[in-house]
Amino acid sequence: MHMLEEDQAVAEMVGDYIWKRLHQWGIQRVYGYPGDGINGIMGALDRVKEQFEYVRVRHEEMAAFMAGGHAKFTGQVGVCLATSGPGAIHLLNGLYDARMDHVPVVAIVGQQASSSLGSDYQQEVDLKTLFKDVAGACVETIGNPAQARHVIDRAVRIAAAERTVTCIIVPNDVQEMSAVESPPRSHGNVYSGIGYAQPHPVPTEEELKNAAAVLNAGQRVAILTGAGGLRAPDEIIEVADILGAGVAKALLGKAVLPDELPFVTGSIGLLGTRPSWELMQGCDTLLMIGTTFPYSEFLPKDGQARAVQIDIHPRNVSMRYPTEVNLIGDSSDTLRRLIPHLERKTDRKWREHIESEVAKWWPEVEAKAMEKADPINPQRIFWELSQHLPDRAILCGDSGSHTNWYARDVKIRRGMMASLSGKLATMGSGVPYAIAAKMAYPDRPVLAIVGDGAMQMNGSAELVTAKQYWKSWSDPRFVVMVLVNHDLNQVTWEQRVLAGDPKFPAAQDVIDFPYARYGELLGFRGIRVEKPEDIAAGWAEAFSADRPVVIEFLADPNVPPLPPHITWSQAKGYMSALFSGDPNEVGIVTQSIKQVADSLLPHRSD
């Protein structure tokens, strides 16, 4: 009897098999939060804890954000884990962030016992319906132990191959059933394997020649790159040199090329630069590389430019701007194949014009940053950040007015990484992205850029996760920067400019909170910067600390994050907000005059 009990104790259950199979797939880290809907899975994880790094977050949404951040910074499949019902529901925002930015994530969620489903049981949620949109490529329930093998295999394979989100649902009674290593060899059973074949679509020679013909015929070529260009910086530089082109960067492509290159015009769009705007308005030919940049009004006018697009997914081409030739393939490989067909532009006037505009732009940015504000001009915080960023730093942005300054003022250098929530543009991604980056690269300095609104939303809680794990990091530099302007500032400005409404204080005000002192309570270094002359010293101290740092900057909310080109409707909305009794009217007018003046006055470029 004793031997029978011992055999049963060591028998492999479905929960054990899930981790065994994921380990065979090469998964080494999982972000999650426990609950009774995944008791069997958690117990099994404890039994194989030497094979996995389990990162216990404070909220399931953060687990999904971290899995997505892991995928963005490593290129590997990220895995997140949540219990049934409310835990599974909490994952959704982070999973949508991953899906919309095309990164591979597998979500594993619990479910109530299969025998109780359909009885309106406690925490019973129709999870297949819930996840159908975000994980539509593959959302499956393991209802029988014989399914576990092929459900896990397909979820990981599809996530990796299609760079998307998949979901595995496991009822809690199934988790504790005896595992089936190999299903019976009978009709109705299937046998799956480990590994996936990375697709390598290759354009034909004819397609490459057609694309080259369009690019060679152009006299004023513009290049727009997104995240799909991150692994092709050298090829993009060579193509830009041959074609005499300028290169603009979508927000997720900020780290594709260093900003020190004289032909790189910087970010594009509402958060973009004037040189990028002028590049698109003046070009007669457009080459788009790995981007689904959403705002067509910042691209050339319809019919203005002939266009070529390179993307790994056929579904992404000609969706923002009408393209004449589409090349489906990896950006780096496709550009290498395209280069021999390109002809070097002998007339470099367009390139010289672009470089001249870029050279004039950076002094203008500096002048805007150095304007006085109350108490600190937020642009100056980011302008001075660039010179203090350590080599190989990883920058993790959030969504807010600070994203404008990150996009325009921060100079990225070669070897750095940078990302944020792109297409979803959700608040709350900064700190969990940074934690994921640090777990994946414990030897690299990491910076989270967060507004006070997002910090109060979830960032402060997730600092507890950093407290739990930071001593295992070989490089302790983990800096969380909080831009404190006591306002949900991006939304406030959107209300003013897009809707013509004044600020609504009851909705937009953010109460004060001692972020730096809170960091000190956690055992971190806390730094509070209240004066512009202390910005440089604050950054220097933050990046030389021997432990994580929370650094807060008191910033003026009235500095307008104006786009490089303001439409008549936006100008009317802006003035309407002021004349409607905006509570910050005086400060807004003062700062707007300064910023407009700096756009008009000449500045030295040396």
Side-chain angles (χ1 to χ4, degrees), residues 7 53 79 109 142 144 199 348 381 398 437 453 502 510 522 589:
D7 289 342
E53 183 175 29
V79 177
V109 297
I142 299 177
N144 184 302
R348 311 300 283 188
I381 298 167
D398 213 291
V510 176
L522 295 173
V589 171

Side-chain angles (χ1 to χ4, degrees), residues 63-291:
F65 271 138
M66 291 183 198
H70 172 90
K72 283 187 174 185
F73 291 121
T74 68
Q76 303 166 355
V77 175
V79 177
C80 56
L81 174 66
T83 188
S84 55
I89 294 168
H90 282 162
L91 290 175
L92 287 176
N93 192 52
L95 293 181
Y96 271 103
D97 178 52
R99 195 204 75 174
M100 295 177 74
D101 283 349
H102 310 292
V103 295
V105 169
V106 175
I108 303 171
V109 297
Q111 177 60 291
Q112 296 307 299
S114 56
S115 58
S116 69
L117 295 180
S119 69
D120 194 23
Y121 201 73
Q122 184 187 28
Q123 294 191 338
E124 180 185 350
V125 173
D126 185 351
L127 295 180
K128 290 200 74 169
T129 298
L130 181 73
F131 287 99
K132 183 178 180 180
D133 183 45
V134 72
C138 178
V139 51
E140 294 293 342
T141 300
I142 299 177
N144 184 302
Q147 284 182 271
R149 175 171 153 184
H150 71 77
V151 168
I152 296 166
D153 290 349
R154 292 202 75 228
V156 179
R157 181 179 294 113
I158 290 171
E162 299 184 13
R163 298 186 62 79
T164 192
V165 173
T166 60
C167 180
I168 301 170
I169 303 167
V170 195
N172 59 23
D173 57 336
V174 175
Q175 297 168 28
E176 298 182 342
M177 292 180 181
S178 296
V180 176
E181 181 77 29
S182 179
R185 191 169 183 270
S186 60
H187 181 71
N189 286 310
V190 297
Y191 308 93
S192 58
I194 298 295
Y196 75 99
Q198 179 69 46
H200 295 284
V202 178
T204 66
E205 279 297 303
E206 182 179 2
E207 290 170 332
L208 291 168
K209 290 178 181 178
N210 290 340
V214 172
L215 298 170
N216 290 334
Q219 296 181 340
R220 301 183 304 278
V221 181
I223 296 174
L224 172 61
T225 182
L230 285 169
R231 299 183 183 180
D234 293 331
E235 291 82 359
I236 295 173
I237 291 171
E238 185 173 357
V239 169
D241 179 61
I242 295 171
L243 297 177
V247 182
K249 302 183 289 186
L251 202 53
L252 288 177
K254 184 171 176 64
V256 172
L257 296 182
D259 290 298
E260 64 190 18
L261 296 175
F263 57 88
V264 172
T265 61
S267 298
I268 188 174
L270 290 166
L271 284 62
T273 70
R274 194 184 65 251
S276 290
W277 166 260
E278 294 178 350
L279 176 71
M280 293 298 155
Q281 297 309 299
C283 71
D284 63 11
T285 309
L286 175 63
L287 172 60
M288 294 184 287
I289 303 170
T291 179

